[in-house]
Structure formats: C-alpha cells, structure tokens
C-alpha cells in the first residue's frame, strides 16, 4: 500500500506542477516568451490567501477568488510594463527582464511580509463536506487536499482546452500563436490577446499557490521559486505550448519526484527529475506531446 500512497501523493504534487505549467505553456505558446516570474505570482497569490483566509477568516472560496483577481491584475500589469515594450526585442532581453521581475517580486514580498516562514492553513481541510478518503480497510488514506488538487487540475485543463478550441478569444489565441503578424492583419487585437493569456495564466497561479501551500503548509517569499522552475521543466517535458502536454508533464514529474524520494534518495530526487528531462529531450526534443515546427527561411 505504501507504493500506492506514494503514487497518489506524486499525482497530487504533479497536478500542482501541471496547474503552474499551464500558465507557462499558454504564455509561451501564444507570446513566445518564458515568464520566469510566474512562480513568484504563485507566492503573491498564496500570501493573499494567507492573510484573507488564514488571518482574517474569510470564506476559503472567496479568498481564492480574491487571490485570483489580485494575481490577474499583477500578471497583466507585469506584461504591460515589463514585457510589452520588449515585444520585438531579442529573446535574451526578455529572459533577463523576466528574471529581474522575479527577483523584484521576491524582494517586495520580503520587505512587506518579512522572510520568516509562515504556517499556512489549508483551504481544503476546514470544510465539513471534504473529508479524507479511506480505502482498503483503512490501509490507504487519501487526504482531502490530494483529492481536490487532482480534480481541480483535470477540470481546469478541460476548461482551458474548451476555451481555446471553442471560443472566439481562444481562436484569437491560436491565430496569434500561429502567426502574430497575419493575425493582426486579420483584425485580431494582439496586445489584448496576449494580456488575456497572462491574465488566465496568473489566475491559475493563484489556484496553484493555494493548493500547493495547503498540501505543504509553509509560506515564505521564495515559496514559488522551486515549484516555478519544476513547472517549467514539466511544461518542457510534456511539450511546451501544448495544454495536454503541460498536464501530462506535470503529473509525470510529480510521480517521478515522489517515487525518487521514497525509493532512492530525498537529496537526489531533484537531480533525477532533471536527468529524466534530459533523456526525454534527447529522444524527443519537442517533449512528449510537442509538435515539430518547421521554420521557413
């Protein structure tokens, strides 16, 4: 039963990575840029939930919704101020700017809320209708946080795929992703489309932050740094730019990390994760579900 417990916990952790990776993959797929400040948006959203729910006692659903609003505004503001002026700049300039924004958000958080870790109260366990699930005569217990995280990830991925494939805004995103110049000539508002992409990705970051800190209840200004990096790895693993790829990559990454900690070494688990990524990219450079793109020269 221990193996199934590790496996389920890995799926839960991987679902959080997948939620974060969905933000990465949408921004890259449409704006063709890597927003390395995405992990710190998670941290800001987690602090909003911490103060509104954990300290002030707000309803957990309302607290998460408020966190989504704050993160959405933050994501759109960062895109407008930091990234939009660099739309035509070399990719290296955008990458350096993204790293700078990441450190800026961390420093602002340290100045505002200090660097000491805070104990995060789960937004899931406090509910009366969400209880742990016990299986096999009590030999296997699945926490409420795990159940909610997995269900939320599946539902959000399905909703995103429907939004992108079945709405006019989603079709505009696909058009911008395919050819930004041609989309603009056809009347698509490129700036508004990219801002909408950042808004959706940042709102997902707020949900991921609340679920991550509910399962691992410690919050500090660097909370989003490592999950952000691992979610980027998950997006590349699954095929960056692909929504199903982000989901598959995140879940597999969480399973590999958790099983590595359980059966090999807690110190080597991160190294094993990156090693698996290297092997996958050697065999399939576009990731598991990524598509090869032919560039005309």
């Amino acid at each position: 039963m221990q193996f199934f417990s590790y496996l389920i916990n890995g799926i839960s952790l991987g679902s959080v990575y997948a939620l974060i990776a969905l933000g990465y993959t949408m921004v890259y797929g449409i704006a063709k840029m890597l927003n390395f400040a995405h992990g710190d948006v998670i941290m800001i959203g987690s602090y909003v939930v911490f103060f509104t729910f954990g300290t002030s006692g707000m309803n957990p659903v309302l607290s998460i919704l408020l966190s989504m609003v704050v993160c959405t505004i933050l994501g759109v503001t960062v895109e407008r101020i930091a990234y939009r002026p660099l739309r035509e700049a070399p990719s290296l300039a955008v990458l350096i700017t993204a790293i700078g924004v990441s450190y800026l958000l961390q420093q602002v958080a340290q100045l505002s809320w200090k660097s000491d870790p805070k104990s995060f109260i789960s937004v899931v366990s406090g509910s009366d209708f969400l209880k742990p699930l016990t299986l096999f005569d009590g030999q296997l217990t699945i926490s409420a946080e795990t159940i909610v995280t997995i269900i939320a990830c599946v539902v959000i991925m399905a909703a995103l795929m429907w939004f992108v494939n079945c709405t006019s805004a989603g079709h505009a995103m696909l058009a911008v992703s395919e050819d930004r110049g041609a989309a603009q000539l056809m009347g698509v508002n490129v700036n508004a489309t990219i801002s909408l992409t950042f808004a959706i990705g940042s709102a997902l970051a707020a949900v991921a932050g609340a679920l991550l800190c509910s399962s691992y209840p410690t919050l500090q200004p660097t909370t989003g740094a490592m999950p952000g990096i691992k979610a980027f790895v998950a997006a590349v693993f699954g095929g960056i730019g692909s929504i199903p790829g982000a989901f598959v990559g995140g879940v597999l990454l969480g399973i590999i990390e958790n099983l590595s900690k359980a059966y090999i070494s807690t110190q080597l688990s991160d190294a094993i994760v990156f090693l698996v990524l290297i092997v996958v990219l050697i065999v399939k450079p576009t990731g598991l579900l990524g598509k090869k793109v032919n560039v005309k020269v």
Side-chain angles (χ1 to χ4, degrees), residues 79-161:
E79 188 276 329
R80 180 66 182 86
I81 295 175
Y83 299 143
R84 189 177 297 182
L86 301 174
R87 192 70 52 80
E88 304 302 326
S91 57
L92 181 60
V94 180
L95 179 62
I96 293 172
T97 301
I99 295 172
V101 172
S102 173
Y103 280 108
L104 174 64
L105 292 177
Q106 288 185 27
Q107 293 301 314
V108 169
Q110 286 183 0
L111 291 173
S112 301
W113 304 307
K114 309 301 179 185
S115 58
D116 56 302
K118 292 177 171 55
S119 180
F120 193 94
I121 300 175
S122 172
V123 296
V124 177
S125 296
S127 175
D128 292 331
F129 62 92
L130 293 172
K131 299 294 184 182
L133 179 63
T134 302
L135 302 174
F136 304 109
D137 296 326
Q139 296 183 56
L140 178 63
T141 301
I142 305 174
S143 68
E145 286 82 6
T146 296
I147 297 170
V148 170
T149 300
I150 295 172
I151 293 175
C153 183
V154 173
V155 170
I156 288 173
M157 185 202 67
L160 269 181
M161 292 186 66

Side-chain angles (χ1 to χ4, degrees), residues 184-202:
Q184 193 164 14
L185 289 174
M186 295 301 294
V188 175
N189 189 329
V190 173
N191 286 333
T193 301
I194 293 177
S195 293
L196 177 61
T197 305
F198 270 84
I200 294 173
S202 299

